[in-house]
Amino acid sequence: MVASHMRTAFSVPDHPLYIRSGYPSEPFLAEAASRQMYLYMRDSPNTMISILKNNLDHGLIDLGQRGEVVMRVLLRKAYMEAIVAEQGSQGPQPNFSKGCSFLHFLKALFADGHHDRILKATGVEEHTLEDAFKDAVVRFTHFVKAVGDSVVETTAMELGFVRGSAFICHNRQKDVDIVIPVLLDKDDTVAESSMSALLIQVKRRK
């Protein structure tokens, strides 16, 4: 795995019986993978869905994780569509690490018929979602598995945004499954005070 599948070796004991390794957050590798995915999907839009379906059909992904995996594919697809819409599909490949408008991302995530209902929704202060997040930005090229509840705090949102990562909540987190960092104003300095998050819960249809 280390030699051929981009797995990182963290340490090797004096006895070579095992190594400690894993797949840490790697922004450069995630950007390269995003660009390759874009080429696949440009030539065949259903490529990633077909690969996922094949793995689901053959039992590679545990039943309890299937909903979250499908959601991550949908989120990445929407993000990539929003990036391409903003940067254009002509010329050089899009830069997926640049980020995109939060509102453009939401529009890509939901069908056209739902846009007005979502964007005109109001919160506690009666501002519409469209007004409250008109300058907001999302930026994620990969997902990182959380090991604790701290992932839902604004400190983690700042770090995640800088590295271009969204978060998969740990298995004991009941209310939230996926967290996407949101910078509230594209002209602000990235800091804890300028961050929010999109919290996503994935449930099987009953």
Side-chain angles (χ1 to χ4, degrees), residues 40-206:
Y40 287 147
M41 295 171 67
R42 185 186 62 181
D43 297 334
S44 178
N46 294 323
T47 296
M48 303 311 298
I49 299 298
S50 298
I51 294 173
L52 176 60
K53 181 179 183 303
N54 181 66
N55 289 325
L56 291 175
D57 290 344
H58 288 81
L60 181 63
I61 300 173
D62 181 77
L63 179 62
Q65 298 179 347
R66 291 183 180 184
E68 294 180 18
V69 172
V70 171
M71 174 56 73
R72 295 202 296 271
V73 171
L74 295 175
L75 291 169
R76 288 286 295 129
K77 188 173 185 294
Y79 176 74
M80 294 174 75
E81 289 179 358
I83 289 287
V84 172
E86 289 188 359
Q87 299 182 20
S89 58
Q90 305 299 321
Q93 288 191 31
N95 178 3
F96 294 100
S97 297
K98 186 175 181 179
C100 68
S101 162
F102 176 68
L103 298 182
H104 290 170
F105 169 66
L106 285 184
K107 290 179 180 179
L109 186 60
F110 294 96
D112 293 347
H114 298 287
H115 289 177
D116 285 343
R117 183 158 59 98
I118 293 171
L119 298 179
K120 301 304 180 185
T122 56
V124 177
E125 298 182 0
E126 297 188 356
H127 294 299
T128 65
L129 185 148
E130 186 174 24
D131 288 336
F133 291 91
K134 64 181 185 300
D135 296 317
V137 177
V138 290
R139 178 177 182 265
F140 65 101
T141 57
H142 60 294
F143 293 88
V144 174
K145 180 73 173 182
V147 295
D149 293 331
S150 61
V151 72
V152 297
E153 299 176 358
T154 50
T155 303
M157 296 306 100
E158 176 189 359
L159 297 175
F161 189 89
V162 169
R163 294 193 67 81
S165 64
F167 297 99
I168 305 165
C169 293
H170 66 86
N171 298 336
R172 297 182 304 278
Q173 174 62 260
K174 296 181 179 180
D175 298 321
V176 182
D177 296 304
I178 297 172
V179 182
I180 299 177
V182 179
L183 177 64
L184 293 173
D185 189 331
K186 62 182 184 297
D187 295 323
D188 276 353
T189 300
V190 179
E192 183 178 358
S193 59
S194 58
M195 299 303 301
S196 184
L198 175 62
L199 308 180
I200 300 170
Q201 185 181 65
V202 182
K203 292 293 185 183
R204 296 181 65 187
R205 179 181 294 179
K206 296 182 179 180

Side-chain angles (χ1 to χ4, degrees), residues 1-9 19 21-23:
M1 299 296 286
V2 173
S4 303
H5 295 279
M6 298 294 182
R7 192 174 180 91
T8 299
I19 65 173
S21 64
Y23 288 102

